[in-house]
């Protein structure tokens, strides 16, 4: 097959390739390799060719088609009109009259759906072995799992049969298969892509995900596929700038677990260390954090009441046709019946507590770097120990949707046995473009980056940052951590950078009559100084509104620091300190407050 990434495909179309010719090539390639186990049902070739011919007419008429003739696959829990949906359970099969919202949006943009792909039945699993339609394997070694539940989607892209594929991601199903097949797996913020027409796993958490060869392709497709849908109760409109690649300054801070777990896989540990080193060479500062609360939150997904949501999705079928369900899936799904409404609320309370507990972590980092999975298993080993090994694969993925975060998985190199490793960047909700911008830099810095299993090098140029950026601001008083005005920073997605001290020449005063109490920092060349400050990184888009909330006699100026650098920070008009208490000797506002 020819190269099918967006850059290469656009060039091929410019040189005379037609969508009808491409569809013919793809179907011929699938016939040669066989439909199973990657595909469950193909769109009939005649229908796909008719769709391609219609696109050629629309293009000739001048219609704008940003995904003109781009072939893609859809996981078989996503409805395509006229094509059976099975969710990898033959007895569950039905044929929808209407396509899912995401299919409609992609087809309107000119994309061509080739067929429906295999999956862990009812999207329950991270390994790809739980399907009666066969077990897709990693494109690099047929003895090893492909990852699930979006197994067929990942293999279809990694094999070079389609440009991109839709998966779904509840617990990591859009990320683990990406690692095992050397792909990019973009799990968007919850609600960005409508799930109307997608058979739920956990409806409140599910995301439609994108598998592609490059971050740029995945981000473009995600943006086109996204959009508020009034027919989806969980749909959310993307805030302005959600898809803009981030501008990462020198000295950005990335968080990594203090003691990452690799299930005894030393090569995976070495490759993760190499990814950390690449980020540091790209200007990042590593910040370690305690992964325990993230891990404990992740356990709620399968060892908590969210399992009941899996039962809710197929309750009638599961109760009347239990023997039609894969044994491992049946045990998990029917286990949801043991949870009560009280359990559900208690689970929500525990999750909220975990989210509150990890807020300080997010204040200290710009992005989180994790192994996508701790290791990879053979199909034989997975079948012998299906629950425990599958659980291991979710070590670094299960918490993300529970905590309403965005994530993108990218390749992270190869082990000596030729199997791929991968890492995931995790950010706040609606930071999809921001983390994608840096994920692309990380992917391209790999040096050995190729497209899936095709061996082709990454095409095109790195993503360019669009707008955005951040400004470092030094705060000295009521905006410090734990003090009354700190929320004016955190509500604007400000990130803690470091503590520092001013250079000499600054005097520090307790201003009278301020509510809440505030200090004033004045440069008077007195020879004093060394006033402690906290430096926070504020988004450029939020900087103006932050400054607008600062009352006179305070303002933002440029502070000199004791390390010879300078930063924007709080200063005070000189007249306001006449008669005020000089508190320079305390060396900082918190020390002064503690003395009172």
């Amino acid at each position: 097959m020819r190269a099918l990434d967006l850059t290469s495909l656009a060039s091929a179309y410019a040189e005379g390739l037609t969508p009808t010719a491409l569809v013919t090539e793809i179907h011929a390639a699938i016939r040669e390799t066989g439909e199973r186990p990657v595909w469950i049902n193909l769109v009939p070739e005649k229908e796909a060719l008719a769709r391609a011919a219609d696109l050629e007419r629309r293009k000739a008429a001048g219609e704008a088609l940003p995904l003109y003739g781009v072939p893609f696959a859809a996981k078989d829990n996503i409805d395509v009109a006229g094509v059976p949906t099975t969710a990898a359970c033959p007895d569950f099969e039905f044929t929808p009259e209407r396509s899912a919202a995401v299919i409609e949006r992609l087809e309107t943009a000119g994309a061509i759906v080739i067929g429906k792909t295999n999956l862990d039945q009812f999207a329950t699993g991270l390994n790809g072995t739980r399907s009666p339609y066969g077990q897709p394997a990693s494109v690099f070694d047929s003895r090893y799992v492909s990852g699930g539940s979006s197994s067929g989607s990942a293999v279809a892209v990694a094999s070079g049969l389609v440009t991109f594929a839709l998966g779904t991601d509840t617990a990591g199903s859009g990320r683990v298969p990406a690692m095992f097949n050397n792909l990019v797996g973009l799990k968007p913020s919850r609600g960005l892509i409508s799930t109307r027409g997608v058979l739920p796993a956990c409806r409140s958490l599910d995301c439609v995900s994108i598998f592609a060869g490059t971050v740029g392709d995945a981000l473009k497709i995600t943006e086109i596929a996204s959009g508020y849908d009034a027919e989806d109760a969980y749909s959310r409109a993307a805030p302005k700038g959600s898809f803009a690649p981030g501008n990462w300054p020198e000295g950005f801070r990335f968080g990594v677990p203090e003691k990452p777990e690799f299930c005894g896989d030393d090569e995976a540990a070495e490759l993760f260390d190499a990814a950390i080193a690449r980020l540091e060479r790209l200007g990042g500062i590593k910040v370690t954090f305690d992964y325990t609360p993230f891990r404990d939150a992740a356990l709620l997904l399968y060892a908590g009441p969210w399992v009941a949501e899996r039962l809710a999705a197929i309750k009638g079928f599961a109760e009347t046709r239990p023997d039609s369900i894969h044994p491992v899936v049946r045990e998990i799904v029917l286990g949801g019946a043991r949870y009560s409404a009280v359990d559900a609320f208690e689970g929500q309370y525990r999750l909220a507590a975990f989210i509150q507990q990890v807020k300080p972590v997010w204040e200290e980092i710009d992005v989180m770097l994790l192994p996508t999975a701790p290791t990879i298993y053979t199909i034989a080993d997975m079948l012998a120990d299906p629950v425990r090994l599958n659980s291991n694969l979710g070590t670094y993925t299960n918490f993300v949707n529970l905590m309403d975060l965005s994530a993108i998985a990218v390749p992270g190199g190869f082990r000596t046995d030729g199997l791929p490793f991968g890492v995931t960047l995790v950010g706040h909700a609606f930071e999809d473009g921001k983390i994608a911008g840096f994920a692309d830099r990380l992917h391209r810095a790999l040096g050995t980056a190729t497209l899936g299993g095709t061996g082709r090098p990454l095409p095109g140029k790195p993503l360019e940052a669009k707008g955005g950026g951040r400004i470092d601001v030094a705060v000295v008083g009521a905006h410090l951590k734990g003090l009354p005005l700190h929320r004016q920073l955190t509500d604007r997605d400000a990130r803690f950078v470091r503590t520092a001290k001013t250079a000499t020449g600054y005097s520090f005063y307790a201003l009278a009559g301020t509510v809440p109490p505030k200090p004033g920092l004045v440069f008077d060349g007195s020879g004093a100084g060394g006033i402690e400050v906290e430096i926070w990184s504020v988004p450029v888009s939020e900087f103006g509104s932050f400054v607008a909330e600062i009352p006179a006699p305070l303002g933002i100026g440029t502070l000199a620091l004791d390390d010879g650098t300078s930063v924007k920070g709080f200063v005070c008009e000189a007249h306001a300190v006449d008669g005020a208490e000089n508190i320079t000797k305390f060396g900082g506002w918190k020390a002064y407050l503690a003395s009172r």
Side-chain angles (χ1 to χ4, degrees), residues 520-581:
L521 185 67
V522 176
F523 182 81
D524 55 14
S526 64
I531 305 302
E532 187 170 272
V533 300
E534 289 177 0
I535 300 175
W536 288 77
S537 175
V538 180
V540 169
S541 60
E542 301 288 344
F543 184 71
S545 66
F546 175 69
V547 172
E549 289 198 87
I550 300 171
L554 303 176
I556 296 293
T558 300
L559 300 184
L561 302 179
D562 65 355
D563 61 3
T565 64
S566 61
V567 66
K568 297 299 179 187
F570 277 78
V571 294
C572 181
E573 297 172 19
H575 70 83
V577 302
D578 289 343
E581 178 185 2

Side-chain angles (χ1 to χ4, degrees), residues 225-473:
S226 297
Y228 178 74
D229 181 3
E231 296 183 69
D232 175 8
Y234 287 95
S235 181
R236 298 193 288 185
K240 184 178 180 181
S242 294
F243 301 108
N247 180 21
W248 292 78
E250 192 79 14
F252 69 90
R253 297 167 74 84
F254 64 96
V256 298
E258 288 174 342
K259 298 177 181 179
E261 171 59 46
F262 296 95
C263 301
D265 189 336
D266 293 339
E267 287 201 69
E270 292 173 3
L271 288 166
F272 186 60
D273 286 342
I276 292 171
R278 284 200 304 279
L279 276 183
E280 290 176 326
R281 288 195 297 273
L282 291 170
I285 298 172
K286 180 180 75 171
V287 177
T288 59
F289 65 91
D290 180 6
Y291 188 67
T292 303
F294 296 95
R295 182 198 62 209
D296 290 346
L299 293 175
L300 292 172
L301 198 58
Y302 283 103
W306 276 268
V307 176
E309 209 173 2
R310 292 184 181 273
L311 177 59
I314 57 168
K315 186 173 184 292
F317 183 81
E319 291 178 344
T320 60
R321 304 287 297 275
D323 292 340
S324 297
I325 302 176
H326 186 284
V328 177
V329 175
R330 181 173 64 239
E331 180 180 355
I332 293 168
V333 172
L334 292 182
R338 69 178 179 268
Y339 293 100
S340 68
V342 171
D343 294 328
F345 280 107
E346 288 180 343
Q348 290 181 42
Y349 303 153
R350 289 186 63 199
L351 176 59
F354 287 133
I355 292 172
Q356 193 81 346
Q357 185 179 349
V358 302
K359 281 184 177 180
V361 173
W362 289 108
E363 289 178 353
E364 301 221 359
I365 63 174
D366 295 296
V367 69
M368 186 181 291
L369 177 74
L370 300 172
T372 299
T375 189
I376 184 172
Y377 296 111
T378 65
I379 292 173
D381 286 343
M382 183 61 64
L383 293 175
D385 193 357
V387 175
R388 184 179 66 88
L389 298 192
N390 185 87
S391 179
N392 289 348
L393 296 183
T395 299
Y396 298 108
T397 59
N398 287 359
F399 74 90
V400 175
N401 280 338
L402 284 166
M403 289 187 165
D404 194 16
L405 301 168
S406 57
I408 184 167
V410 294
F414 290 87
R415 298 158 28 140
T416 54
D417 60 7
L419 289 166
F421 178 71
V423 295
T424 295
L425 292 169
V426 181
H428 292 279
F430 306 119
E431 290 189 341
D432 305 88
K434 175 183 174 181
I435 62 173
F438 200 76
D440 187 57
R441 289 178 62 192
L442 179 61
H443 188 193
R444 292 176 184 276
L446 183 61
T448 58
T450 52
L451 293 168
T454 67
R456 296 188 178 96
L458 299 190
K461 299 178 180 179
L463 288 174
E464 294 183 4
K466 299 178 181 178
R470 304 178 79 89
I471 298 173
D472 284 351
V473 179

Side-chain angles (χ1 to χ4, degrees), residues 67 105-106 164 186-189 192-193 208-210 215-227 243 432:
L67 294 179
R105 291 186 68 88
L106 293 168
F164 70 95
L186 194 157
K187 185 219 75 69
S189 300
L192 282 187
I193 299 178
V208 175
S209 62
I210 308 296
V215 173
D217 284 6
L219 184 62
K220 179 177 180 178
I221 292 155
T222 300
E223 185 171 10
I224 291 170
S226 297
F243 301 108
D432 305 88

Side-chain angles (χ1 to χ4, degrees), residues 39 72-78 80 103 113 115-117 153 165-166:
W39 307 88
F72 74 101
K75 185 176 180 178
D76 196 24
N77 60 341
I78 302 173
V80 174
I103 300 292
V113 60
K116 309 287 288 299
T117 52
S153 287
L166 302 179

